[in-house]
């Protein structure tokens, strides 16, 4: 019992210092990811089954291979499911016209234009810890 109480107290201190749900159990994280998959309405969905909420996905490739378009389609898919999204724009190149063309609801998207690496990491971390965003 003493170990469980000490663990609960330590988690409460971490949550107080870094935000709610800083530490979760593996089963909670797995359940959260299994709850929802965001579809991009592209062939990517047939290959992957969509993007699981809470999962880490890296879109890599050549400069014009469609990474940003796929990411915007994922945002639109999350929004269709009622989720809010955070776009952390390290390159400061977010194009609202292109986002609108991919059915992104700009009223339900928060865009953070990070100027430094530290701002990028801070905004991304805050978004990931937040309960308000299902896609960062």
């Amino acid at each position: 019992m003493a170990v469980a109480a000490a663990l609960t107290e330590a988690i409460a201190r971490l949550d107080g210092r870094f935000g709610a749900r800083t530490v979760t159990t593996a089963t909670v994280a797995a359940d959260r990811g299994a709850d929802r998959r965001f579809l991009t309405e592209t062939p990517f969905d047939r290959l992957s089954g969509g993007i699981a909420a809470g999962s880490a996905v890296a879109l890599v490739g050549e400069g014009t291979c469609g990474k940003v378009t796929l990411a915007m389609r994922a945002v639109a898919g999350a929004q269709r499911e009622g989720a809010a999204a955070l776009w952390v724009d390290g390159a400061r190149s977010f194009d609202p016209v292109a986002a609108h063309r991919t059915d992104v609801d700009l009223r339900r998207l928060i865009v953070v234009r990070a100027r430094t690496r530290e701002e990028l990491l801070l905004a991304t971390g805050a978004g990931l810890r937040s309960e308000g965003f299902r896609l960062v």
Side-chain angles (χ1 to χ4, degrees), residues 28-37 51-55:
V28 170
D31 291 345
R32 201 180 323 164
D35 289 342
R36 214 180 251 168
R37 298 188 79 77
I51 297 173
S55 67

CSV table of all heavy atoms in Angstrom, one decimal, residues 28-37 51-55:
chain,number,residue,atom,x,y,z
A,28,VAL,N,-4.0,2.7,-20.5
A,28,VAL,CA,-4.7,4.0,-20.8
A,28,VAL,C,-4.3,4.5,-22.2
A,28,VAL,O,-5.1,4.8,-23.0
A,28,VAL,CB,-4.6,5.0,-19.7
A,28,VAL,CG1,-5.2,6.4,-20.2
A,28,VAL,CG2,-5.2,4.6,-18.4
A,29,ALA,N,-3.0,4.5,-22.4
A,29,ALA,CA,-2.5,5.0,-23.7
A,29,ALA,C,-3.0,4.1,-24.8
A,29,ALA,O,-3.4,4.6,-25.9
A,29,ALA,CB,-1.0,5.1,-23.7
A,30,ALA,N,-3.0,2.8,-24.6
A,30,ALA,CA,-3.4,1.9,-25.6
A,30,ALA,C,-4.9,2.0,-25.9
A,30,ALA,O,-5.4,2.0,-27.0
A,30,ALA,CB,-3.1,0.4,-25.2
A,31,ASP,N,-5.7,2.2,-24.8
A,31,ASP,CA,-7.1,2.4,-25.0
A,31,ASP,C,-7.4,3.6,-25.7
A,31,ASP,O,-8.3,3.7,-26.6
A,31,ASP,CB,-7.8,2.4,-23.6
A,31,ASP,CG,-7.8,1.0,-22.9
A,31,ASP,OD1,-7.6,0.0,-23.6
A,31,ASP,OD2,-8.1,1.0,-21.7
A,32,ARG,N,-6.7,4.7,-25.4
A,32,ARG,CA,-7.0,6.0,-26.1
A,32,ARG,C,-6.7,5.9,-27.6
A,32,ARG,O,-7.4,6.4,-28.4
A,32,ARG,CB,-6.1,7.1,-25.5
A,32,ARG,CG,-6.6,8.4,-25.7
A,32,ARG,CD,-5.8,9.5,-25.1
A,32,ARG,NE,-5.2,9.2,-23.8
A,32,ARG,CZ,-4.2,9.9,-23.3
A,32,ARG,NH1,-3.7,11.0,-24.0
A,32,ARG,NH2,-3.7,9.6,-22.2
A,33,GLY,N,-5.6,5.1,-27.9
A,33,GLY,CA,-5.3,5.0,-29.4
A,33,GLY,C,-6.3,4.1,-30.1
A,33,GLY,O,-6.5,4.3,-31.3
A,34,ALA,N,-6.8,3.1,-29.4
A,34,ALA,CA,-7.8,2.2,-30.0
A,34,ALA,C,-9.1,2.9,-30.2
A,34,ALA,O,-9.9,2.4,-31.0
A,34,ALA,CB,-7.9,1.0,-29.2
A,35,ASP,N,-9.4,3.9,-29.5
A,35,ASP,CA,-10.7,4.6,-29.6
A,35,ASP,C,-11.0,5.1,-30.9
A,35,ASP,O,-12.1,5.0,-31.4
A,35,ASP,CB,-10.8,5.7,-28.6
A,35,ASP,CG,-10.9,5.2,-27.1
A,35,ASP,OD1,-11.2,4.0,-26.9
A,35,ASP,OD2,-10.7,6.0,-26.2
A,36,ARG,N,-10.1,5.7,-31.6
A,36,ARG,CA,-10.3,6.5,-32.7
A,36,ARG,C,-9.2,6.4,-33.8
A,36,ARG,O,-8.1,6.4,-33.4
A,36,ARG,CB,-10.5,8.0,-32.3
A,36,ARG,CG,-11.5,8.8,-33.1
A,36,ARG,CD,-11.5,10.2,-32.6
A,36,ARG,NE,-12.7,10.4,-31.9
A,36,ARG,CZ,-13.0,11.4,-31.1
A,36,ARG,NH1,-12.1,12.3,-30.9
A,36,ARG,NH2,-14.1,11.6,-30.5
A,37,ARG,N,-9.6,6.3,-35.0
A,37,ARG,CA,-8.7,6.4,-36.1
A,37,ARG,C,-9.1,7.5,-37.1
A,37,ARG,O,-10.3,7.5,-37.4
A,37,ARG,CB,-8.6,5.1,-36.8
A,37,ARG,CG,-8.0,4.0,-35.9
A,37,ARG,CD,-7.8,2.7,-36.6
A,37,ARG,NE,-6.5,2.7,-37.4
A,37,ARG,CZ,-5.3,2.5,-36.8
A,37,ARG,NH1,-5.2,2.4,-35.5
A,37,ARG,NH2,-4.2,2.5,-37.6
A,51,ILE,N,-5.0,7.0,-39.2
A,51,ILE,CA,-4.0,7.4,-38.2
A,51,ILE,C,-4.7,7.2,-36.8
A,51,ILE,O,-5.7,7.9,-36.6
A,51,ILE,CB,-3.5,8.8,-38.4
A,51,ILE,CG1,-2.8,8.9,-39.7
A,51,ILE,CG2,-2.6,9.3,-37.2
A,51,ILE,CD1,-2.4,10.3,-40.1
A,52,ALA,N,-4.1,6.4,-35.9
A,52,ALA,CA,-4.7,6.2,-34.6
A,52,ALA,C,-4.4,7.4,-33.7
A,52,ALA,O,-3.3,8.0,-33.7
A,52,ALA,CB,-4.1,5.0,-34.0
A,53,ALA,N,-5.5,7.9,-33.0
A,53,ALA,CA,-5.3,9.0,-32.1
A,53,ALA,C,-4.3,8.6,-31.0
A,53,ALA,O,-4.3,7.5,-30.5
A,53,ALA,CB,-6.7,9.3,-31.4
A,54,GLY,N,-3.4,9.5,-30.8
A,54,GLY,CA,-2.4,9.3,-29.8
A,54,GLY,C,-1.1,8.6,-30.3
A,54,GLY,O,-0.2,8.5,-29.6
A,55,SER,N,-1.1,8.3,-31.6
A,55,SER,CA,0.1,7.6,-32.1
A,55,SER,C,1.0,8.7,-32.7
A,55,SER,O,0.6,9.8,-33.1
A,55,SER,CB,-0.3,6.6,-33.2
A,55,SER,OG,-0.9,7.4,-34.3
